[in-house]
Amino acid sequence: MAEEAPEDGGTRTLPSLRRLSRALPFGRTHGRLGASSSGRPVVSALCSQESVDPQKTAFLLRKAWTLYSVTPLYRFRRARLRDYARLLSAFIAAERHRGLAVAVGAEMDIAVRLSSLAELRGTDLDQAALLVQLSSRSRASSRSSEDKPVWSGWFCSMFGDDLSENIPEDFTSLPLFLSHGAESYTALVGSWFQKTFDCCFRRLAISPQNLSWMVAMWAGCGLDTAASAVELVFSVPRLAQPLDIFYAIHPEDAKALWDTVQKTPGEITQEEVDVFMDCLYAHFHRHFKIHLSAAKLVKVSTAIASAHCDGIVKILHSQYLPGVLMLLTELAISQIQ
Amino acid sequence: MRPRRSSRTPKQSPHVRRKTQTDLSAWRKGGRTDSEKSLQHHQSVNDQKYDSQEGSLEQALSYLEKVQDRVALKKNSVLQRHLDTVESTALKQGLPPEGFEILLNVALSGKFADAVNTRLLRSLIPASVIPENSVVSAVSWLCVGKCSGNIQLLFLKWLITVFDFIDRKEQLNALYGFFFSFLQDEKMCPYICHVLYLLTRKENVKPFRIRRLLDLQAKMGMQSHLQALLSLYKLFCPELVTITLPGKMKTYFKNSEGPWKAAITAVRSRNQGPSPLSQAVVLGTSQPQSRKRKWNAQLVIPASSRSTNNLEEIRGKSSVCLYNTNKSFPVEQLQTFPQLLQNIHRLEFPSQMGSVLTSPLLLHYMNCMKDESIYLRLYYWMGQMLQEECAWCVVDNPNEEEFKSFLQSIYKAECFLQEGFSACEEFLYKTLPLWDGFCCRSEVLSLVSWIPLSNFSDIKSYLYDPLAQLFFTSSIYFKCSVLESLKQLLQNWLNCNVIRVDSEFSSLNTTLSGLVNMVAELVHFVGWISTIGLRLEDNSTFLLHFILDFYGTVCDMYLKYNLPLLIMPPAGVFYPALLSMDSVNLNQLCHIMYRYRTNLVAAKENEQSKKNILQFKFSNQTYQEYNQYIIAMVGCLWTSSAFQKDIHPQGLCMDDKVLCKTGVKELKTSFNIVYHPAMMGYSIEFLKQLCPDDTTFNFKLIKGKKWDWYLEYLYSQGLKGLKVFIESSISRVSQASRSKAANVQT
């Protein structure tokens, strides 16, 4: 129930901003309760041709990232990344060797690197993304050999104006966090950030409704290269044996279907998404006599990205990186507010 | 600086010491290591006469002070006796401050055998304080190494036990380096760590010391005493060293309490109040955790710990001295209110704001610092925690108990701050529609009472509608709890308004009319659910009690809370209360109506004197409603004319023919304070007392003078509400017709 999404079916051309009022703690009016009609990105932004330097963000692609929402960081100073890295590295060492004190700044077996990814932001209001990399130093081969990367994670805000516009100076809004690597490292890094910047991490699950938005949006984006199939995975609830249904559609068919559904280019409505999905369901029913609408959509994958309802995404195409991140940022913000 | 030896209390020593003051400071300058020499400064041994069997402490001390050579205890009965004296005095009343220097010097200088030294050290029980100087000179003896290892250890144990009795610690702290150097002694190390733990200040934490401790740790492995000291270092300089303590640790210093603790407590309780709080080991990092949880969703409220984040940038090894700026006070060490007062200017909020919830001291501090970021940090943290852990929203959440206690902590903090948290308010709005009214019931309802007063326009759909749904479908106990919580909510709003008016705190965008509308909406809501609730519960006395309790606040809003608003209870509440079978509720109703009267009269007077021109004017309808109710009440309680004269549209007025059908004789005198079902018990009791022999219960006897007696009797039974109501609202025209005449005065 944490994920509430009573959609009203209205047009979603512009993100309906749900602002964090300045005078928040002292009794204010606020309109961000209940029917949280989360805004939808404009398609043009999603399929924007201007993309970030593919070289610099290539390592973000084709990896399964686990999603978290993060409340604004308190007193985060970008100029101090090096200090943060030293402290975080000492923290990790101290946590791993519980009970042994560790001098800050000493060589640790896990090296930490914090860096900014200035390319990854939507507007000037967005903070540049922050990359955290952990690598293990092999003691034997000292420093001659390359450190072996063991975990990475990054904070980002892509068109997250909703949140960043309205927070005081001492706070840094980077609402989306993505991690790749062992959960134990995520826990260490996350705890350190929570302790140091008084923020909260929460897993970001994606509701079936948002998954259908994703598949509709992404199916409609044409790609030059031979694209892979559009795949939907459904799970049937309340069965003794888990039953998953895989539904694959040829990308061109999916795009053709979407093009007939969409009325105005650059704009997506809930209605259109519903029609798109209903068409897919009807087609499936005709062949297999199964009502997919009664099953739960758990995963979608397209040539652009794949997303699982547990909050795991894989972005495949650098051109669409900003668009996908924008959508995820929006989901993260709606979970925070 | 030095406490004068001659200033001893007469109580403790009838023998006034005539000896000249021993100048130990001069002695120390001369050559502190040479005990022989030092003794030459003393006067030659007085020819003291030990006239009594029990030598005085005085004599014992002066004897011990002057002993020159090693003396064997066995052969020396004088020493034996003095030792006994010291021991018995110490155990009985503790030693005076000036005794410590002498005894410490003797015990640590190695003049006696260890057995004697041990006995001396064991009897070092302070009556009041221990002079710092005595400890400093003792430490210098320790450095000289004249005494055996066992005595050294015993001394350290003593020092740890009595640390809080030492009057000042400046000079002692100056010896930090000496203590630190003892760390290499394996036997002493645990005790030295404890002493250092007690002694360490921020300026003592130096990189070279940290290195030394880390080396020791490398050599000796995980030792709890090293861990404790290192975590204290971390507390002061998190930018230099860090440590995570294993969660299961309980004691960090295994030192036995030595032979002193019990004796000190006994002496203290005999002499004066309780002993000063001994410094507790504060290592907030280890928290008992019920079980392994997701790292990012621990409902454990974070321990307050200092942030590493606000420290200056580290620029290089040479700049380490910069950290000596003794600016901030670690929140982990904040344990008492005086500490808060002393350090309030250099206190920092903990790194995780959520930890204030469990710290009353930090809540005090928070109250002083009205900083937006504090609330925003709390807002984010609390909002996420509430959503993530909500026991009735998250499927299969097994942690209802934890969530309950979390809600309790929030509620307590709100009561403390007298202010609701906005994260909590939003949480309630979001989740009340999903609430079953059962899970964490009392916690949720108490949080409802702290929903802040605001212009929030949708409060009906977010609060009232879901509450009403649950109210109508739940048990009577739930109904009563809801009413109780709404009464609290009303009071909190009213209080908040009073504070605001007083402080002219106009920055809030809630105008007076906005406030009035909010309150009116709440009161009408409660009137509505009460009416239906009474019908559903068959006019339950219990429920009625809670409803009237709510109106007990409503009826006084004008005078008590300065709010230009009075709302009468609906007929669905008023009539059940008036015809209640229960005298408590009837009495309460009388009291409420009396307060309404007082408020309305005051409002009218204010209106007429035009004191407040802009003042909100009560509508005539309120007066009219009040008058209708009063007529019904007087009819029911006094004139027996309720059925004829009640003019309220939902009232009791009945056609004469219908009344006749009841077959009640003498209708016109048969329903008043004597016959009212709630009062019947009293009138019977009264009659029994009046004419004990009459068993016919002739109620008609109660009239005239006896009516007055009856009233007195009722008042004496605690019906104070009835008393004030009758005295204010019923004017008794003449002695003769007092039983009939009644008059409404408004």
Side-chain angles (χ1 to χ4, degrees):
Chain A
M1 290 316 295
E3 182 82 10
E4 94 288 66
E7 308 291 7
D8 50 15
T11 311
R12 301 292 184 70
T13 49
L14 285 168
S16 59
L17 298 188
R18 287 162 305 133
R19 288 172 203 287
L20 185 66
S21 149
R22 261 274 171 183
L24 178 91
F26 303 103
R28 75 278 65 139
T29 49
H30 37 61
R32 68 195 127 84
L33 297 167
S36 70
S37 51
S38 63
R40 279 302 161 217
V42 193
V43 176
S44 61
L46 174 80
C47 296
S48 73
Q49 296 305 304
E50 46 119 11
S51 61
V52 298
D53 184 357
Q55 295 280 304
K56 285 182 179 164
T57 52
F59 69 97
L60 302 177
L61 301 177
R62 283 175 288 280
K63 268 185 197 149
W65 296 101
T66 308
L67 304 176
Y68 291 83
S69 67
V70 188
T71 60
L73 312 182
Y74 178 64
R75 289 206 175 154
F76 170 78
R77 302 270 179 272
R78 192 133 335 226
R80 294 194 54 197
L81 291 187
R82 198 175 292 238
D83 296 331
Y84 294 153
R86 285 151 50 94
L87 289 167
L88 176 53
S89 152
F91 174 81
I92 291 172
E95 286 285 327
R96 280 158 59 94
H97 311 284
R98 237 155 222 277
L100 279 186
V102 177
V104 175
E107 280 271 289
M108 308 296 171
D109 38 1
I110 295 289
V112 176
R113 197 168 161 263
L114 290 183
S115 52
S116 289
L117 285 172
E119 302 81 16
L120 274 184
R121 62 203 277 194
T123 65
D124 287 345
L125 277 173
D126 284 318
Q127 288 280 332
L130 173 70
L131 178 66
V132 185
Q133 289 164 302
L134 305 189
S135 46
S136 76
R137 289 197 180 106
S138 42
R139 284 254 167 86
S141 50
S142 71
R143 60 193 63 184
S144 58
S145 71
E146 274 280 286
D147 291 346
K148 187 176 151 244
V150 291
W151 180 92
S152 52
W154 44 298
F155 295 81
C156 95
S157 169
M158 188 65 73
F159 298 101
D161 317 6
D162 251 18
L163 186 62
S164 55
E165 267 183 352
N166 298 300
I167 56 171
E169 218 178 309
D170 259 346
F171 293 83
T172 302
S173 158
L174 286 167
L176 180 64
F177 177 72
L178 308 92
S179 79
H180 175 79
E183 165 82 13
S184 59
Y185 285 117
T186 312
L188 286 176
V189 174
S191 318
W192 185 81
F193 271 87
Q194 290 194 152
K195 270 189 190 134
T196 313
F197 303 109
D198 205 1
C199 53
C200 271
F201 286 68
R202 270 179 80 196
R203 272 298 287 271
L204 183 60
I206 307 174
S207 67
Q209 193 148 22
N210 282 321
L211 284 178
S212 49
W213 268 91
M214 289 175 178
V215 73
M217 280 187 293
W218 296 339
C221 296
L223 282 173
D224 308 332
T225 50
S228 47
V230 172
E231 284 176 0
L232 308 173
V233 181
F234 294 85
S235 87
V236 183
R238 287 186 215 95
L239 286 186
Q241 299 285 319
L243 174 64
D244 284 350
I245 299 171
F246 293 82
Y247 186 176
I249 306 133
H250 194 279
E252 282 171 23
D253 294 344
K255 181 159 172 33
L257 175 62
W258 175 248
D259 288 344
T260 62
V261 168
Q262 195 184 26
K263 292 175 192 112
T264 331
E267 183 182 300
I268 299 180
T269 65
Q270 178 70 49
E271 207 184 354
E272 288 166 356
V273 175
D274 290 344
V275 170
F276 178 75
M277 294 306 281
D278 286 345
C279 289
L280 294 180
Y281 294 160
H283 180 74
F284 196 81
H285 182 252
R286 196 158 41 231
H287 288 280
F288 302 104
K289 301 284 175 271
I290 292 173
H291 288 288
L292 283 178
S293 53
K296 184 190 173 204
L297 181 57
V298 291
K299 192 184 171 190
V300 298
S301 45
T302 68
I304 288 168
S306 71
H308 190 279
C309 64
D310 286 346
I312 296 166
V313 295
K314 200 185 267 187
I315 304 168
L316 302 169
H317 209 279
S318 70
Q319 187 187 333
Y320 293 99
L321 188 63
V324 175
L325 289 179
M326 176 178 173
L327 182 56
L328 295 176
T329 303
E330 189 201 320
L331 293 182
I333 292 177
S334 74
Q335 177 159 296
I336 293 168
Q337 290 195 340
Chain B
M1 291 289 281
R2 321 197 63 232
R4 301 241 131 204
R5 284 191 177 185
S6 50
S7 68
R8 45 175 45 194
T9 54
K11 184 180 77 181
Q12 278 161 342
S13 155
H15 310 258
V16 178
R17 198 172 164 121
R18 293 198 185 82
K19 194 166 75 74
T20 53
Q21 175 76 33
T22 312
D23 188 1
L24 275 182
S25 53
W27 165 70
R28 201 172 289 126
K29 269 179 221 150
R32 50 161 79 172
T33 58
D34 193 345
S35 59
E36 304 284 313
K37 196 172 152 197
S38 76
L39 287 169
Q40 286 162 13
H41 282 261
H42 294 260
Q43 252 179 285
S44 59
V45 183
N46 286 4
D47 52 339
Q48 282 159 338
K49 286 171 187 157
Y50 303 111
D51 43 21
S52 65
Q53 285 175 330
E54 211 178 275
S56 74
L57 178 66
E58 192 107 356
Q59 291 158 345
L61 289 179
S62 80
Y63 168 81
L64 287 168
E65 196 174 11
K66 285 153 208 155
V67 168
Q68 297 252 351
D69 308 307
R70 281 190 79 104
V71 183
L73 181 61
K74 273 181 190 160
K75 292 164 192 167
N76 190 330
S77 66
V78 181
L79 174 61
Q80 183 79 59
R81 197 180 54 214
H82 285 312
L83 218 47
D84 288 344
T85 308
V86 170
E87 276 175 340
S88 66
T89 318
L91 282 175
K92 245 183 263 158
Q93 56 199 26
L95 297 179
E98 55 273 28
F100 287 93
E101 179 143 18
I102 301 168
L103 293 180
L104 280 170
N105 280 335
V106 176
L108 297 176
S109 61
K111 262 185 267 178
F112 293 117
D114 270 7
V116 179
N117 294 338
T118 307
R119 282 179 67 181
L120 285 176
L121 280 175
R122 277 168 177 266
S123 50
L124 289 177
I125 292 149
S128 52
V129 293
I130 300 170
E132 184 184 23
N133 288 314
S134 62
V135 182
V136 169
S137 66
V139 174
S140 65
W141 279 114
L142 205 65
C143 297
V144 175
K146 290 242 176 186
C147 53
S148 70
N150 284 341
I151 295 298
Q152 283 179 332
L153 286 186
L154 193 62
F155 168 72
L156 289 176
K157 283 185 197 170
W158 174 79
L159 184 57
I160 291 161
T161 316
V162 301
F163 190 80
D164 292 318
F165 290 89
I166 301 171
D167 56 358
R168 275 183 311 268
K169 278 137 197 158
E170 289 309 314
Q171 293 182 43
L172 204 56
N173 187 269
L175 299 179
Y176 195 90
F178 284 97
F179 284 112
F180 199 88
S181 67
F182 281 120
L183 276 176
Q184 60 199 15
D185 184 313
E186 229 168 278
K187 263 193 192 154
M188 288 217 277
C189 182
Y191 303 98
I192 289 294
C193 276
H194 198 164
V195 172
L196 290 173
Y197 186 90
L198 297 172
L199 214 52
T200 301
R201 294 175 192 166
K202 186 170 185 210
E203 61 268 27
N204 300 125
V205 183
K206 296 273 164 61
F208 74 87
R209 293 205 173 113
I210 291 173
R211 242 173 290 138
R212 187 66 179 279
L213 286 176
L214 290 176
D215 288 347
L216 270 179
Q217 180 187 254
K219 204 164 71 188
M220 311 205 292
M222 270 189 238
Q223 298 288 338
S224 60
H225 47 271
L226 281 178
Q227 287 175 333
L229 186 57
L230 276 161
S231 16
L232 187 69
Y233 275 32
K234 175 203 166 194
L235 213 124
F236 283 116
C237 292
E239 71 285 358
L240 293 179
V241 66
T242 191
I243 182 171
T244 306
L245 293 172
K248 53 185 185 290
M249 288 283 276
K250 276 195 182 136
T251 48
Y252 292 90
F253 297 111
K254 293 183 201 108
N255 317 352
S256 63
E257 292 176 342
W260 302 279
K261 200 114 184 179
I264 290 174
T265 329
V267 165
R268 292 300 279 202
S269 62
R270 222 172 292 147
N271 288 2
Q272 60 230 66
S275 62
L277 262 176
S278 53
Q279 201 170 349
V281 177
V282 278
L283 302 169
T285 36
S286 63
Q287 274 208 339
Q289 284 180 13
S290 47
R291 75 199 80 96
K292 204 167 152 58
R293 301 282 312 274
K294 280 178 288 174
W295 63 273
N296 56 332
Q298 290 184 348
L299 245 193
V300 179
I301 296 170
S304 63
S305 70
R306 182 160 172 228
S307 176
T308 46
N309 194 9
N310 308 327
L311 304 165
E312 295 160 68
E313 253 180 81
I314 306 162
R315 289 182 205 285
K317 284 172 195 165
S318 61
S319 70
V320 167
C321 54
L322 282 179
Y323 292 111
N324 282 349
T325 47
N326 221 351
K327 259 168 80 183
S328 55
F329 180 82
V331 281
E332 292 95 329
Q333 294 210 319
L334 184 66
Q335 283 179 324
T336 61
F337 194 70
Q339 267 182 334
L340 173 71
L341 293 183
Q342 278 162 24
N343 299 295
I344 200 155
H345 58 290
R346 55 196 189 106
L347 202 60
E348 272 170 11
F349 272 111
S351 61
Q352 285 172 286
M353 197 51 89
S355 61
V356 301
L357 278 197
T358 47
S359 163
L361 292 174
L362 287 176
L363 285 175
H364 271 300
Y365 184 50
M366 195 171 145
N367 236 348
C368 308
M369 317 292 287
K370 290 280 177 196
D371 178 4
E372 191 189 352
S373 68
I374 298 169
Y375 286 89
L376 203 52
R377 286 163 73 187
L378 258 185
Y379 167 80
Y380 284 126
W381 173 78
M382 199 182 285
Q384 299 297 294
M385 281 297 144
L386 285 169
Q387 284 184 49
E388 184 85 21
E389 300 292 318
C390 174
W392 62 90
C393 295
V394 178
V395 188
D396 301 331
N397 191 339
N399 306 309
E400 189 182 328
E401 282 308 311
E402 275 176 37
F403 189 65
K404 224 181 230 180
S405 76
F406 182 60
L407 295 185
Q408 278 165 358
S409 323
I410 295 179
Y411 174 67
K412 275 187 206 150
E414 288 184 328
C415 290
F416 188 95
L417 295 170
Q418 290 288 299
E419 183 176 8
F421 294 118
S422 45
C424 192
E425 178 194 4
E426 278 173 18
F427 166 74
L428 289 173
Y429 292 159
K430 272 186 195 165
T431 56
L432 275 182
L434 309 167
W435 186 42
D436 58 2
F438 186 75
C439 180
C440 309
R441 170 188 296 177
S442 66
E443 288 75 19
V444 173
L445 287 178
S446 29
L447 287 174
V448 164
S449 70
W450 277 112
I451 286 180
L453 181 63
S454 62
N455 272 343
F456 186 49
S457 51
D458 292 334
I459 196 156
K460 182 177 179 300
S461 54
Y462 287 116
L463 178 66
Y464 298 153
D465 288 353
L467 268 188
Q469 231 169 42
L470 288 168
F471 184 89
F472 296 141
T473 53
S474 301
S475 72
I476 184 168
Y477 302 105
F478 181 82
K479 291 188 175 78
C480 295
S481 324
V482 168
L483 286 166
E484 175 69 18
S485 139
L486 292 177
K487 185 193 84 177
Q488 286 298 332
L489 177 66
L490 176 67
Q491 280 180 348
N492 289 337
W493 282 1
L494 294 171
N495 283 333
C496 155
N497 174 55
V498 170
I499 292 163
R500 198 167 343 151
V501 169
D502 284 353
S503 62
E504 306 271 315
F505 190 16
S506 56
S507 68
L508 292 172
N509 49 8
T510 319
T511 57
L512 186 63
S513 73
L515 169 75
V516 168
N517 289 339
M518 287 282 286
V519 171
E521 200 182 348
L522 172 61
V523 174
H524 286 309
F525 170 70
V526 172
W528 176 63
I529 59 170
S530 299
T531 303
I532 299 175
L534 278 173
R535 247 181 261 167
L536 287 173
E537 299 294 340
D538 212 7
N539 292 338
S540 151
T541 303
F542 191 57
L543 181 63
L544 191 56
H545 175 75
F546 281 86
I547 296 170
L548 291 179
D549 206 28
F550 180 84
Y551 281 98
T553 304
V554 176
C555 66
D556 241 351
M557 289 193 296
Y558 180 74
L559 281 178
K560 205 167 163 193
Y561 298 100
N562 214 6
L563 194 74
L565 179 70
L566 277 183
I567 297 171
M568 300 302 296
V573 168
F574 174 79
Y575 284 102
L578 180 60
L579 301 177
S580 159
M581 306 290 280
D582 173 77
S583 63
V584 174
N585 283 331
L586 183 64
N587 180 57
Q588 172 80 335
L589 179 71
C590 287
H591 185 261
I592 289 171
M593 293 305 284
Y594 161 70
R595 290 309 303 172
Y596 271 119
R597 181 180 189 280
T598 318
N599 278 260
L600 287 169
V601 168
K604 196 127 221 170
E605 274 167 12
N606 274 347
E607 233 170 78
Q608 279 159 358
S609 68
K610 301 212 166 140
K611 255 191 260 170
N612 308 310
I613 296 165
L614 290 173
Q615 188 59 274
F616 183 94
K617 216 177 137 192
F618 292 135
S619 74
N620 274 334
Q621 205 198 327
T622 312
Y623 291 102
Q624 208 184 326
E625 238 177 326
Y626 170 79
N627 282 332
Q628 287 174 343
Y629 284 161
I630 280 293
I631 290 168
M633 274 185 89
V634 171
C636 267
L637 298 177
W638 204 260
T639 59
S640 297
S641 58
F643 303 112
Q644 286 88 27
K645 290 195 177 161
D646 193 348
I647 51 167
H648 195 281
Q650 288 163 265
L652 306 167
C653 194
M654 277 183 226
D655 198 52
D656 276 345
K657 286 177 195 161
V658 180
L659 280 175
C660 283
K661 279 186 191 162
T662 59
V664 176
K665 292 171 200 166
E666 299 173 62
L667 268 170
K668 308 244 155 138
T669 55
S670 295
F671 198 75
N672 56 28
I673 205 166
V674 176
Y675 298 94
H676 191 290
M679 294 306 200
M680 205 66 127
Y682 291 104
S683 49
I684 289 173
E685 266 313 300
F686 177 72
L687 278 177
K688 268 189 197 163
Q689 287 179 22
L690 197 67
C691 7
D693 305 327
D694 190 359
T695 49
T696 56
F697 295 126
N698 187 1
F699 292 111
K700 290 199 190 79
L701 285 177
I702 307 179
K703 63 183 176 191
K705 201 158 204 168
K706 284 175 188 138
W707 179 274
D708 284 345
W709 292 353
Y710 178 55
L711 282 185
E712 287 304 321
Y713 170 74
L714 290 180
Y715 299 162
S716 72
Q717 296 298 304
L719 298 176
K720 298 282 185 272
L722 188 72
K723 181 169 192 264
V724 288
F725 174 78
I726 289 178
E727 286 174 354
S728 67
S729 300
I730 298 179
S731 86
R732 312 180 59 188
V733 176
S734 70
Q735 292 286 323
S737 58
R738 73 172 52 133
S739 64
K740 294 203 175 153
N743 186 359
V744 183
Q745 281 190 329
T746 45

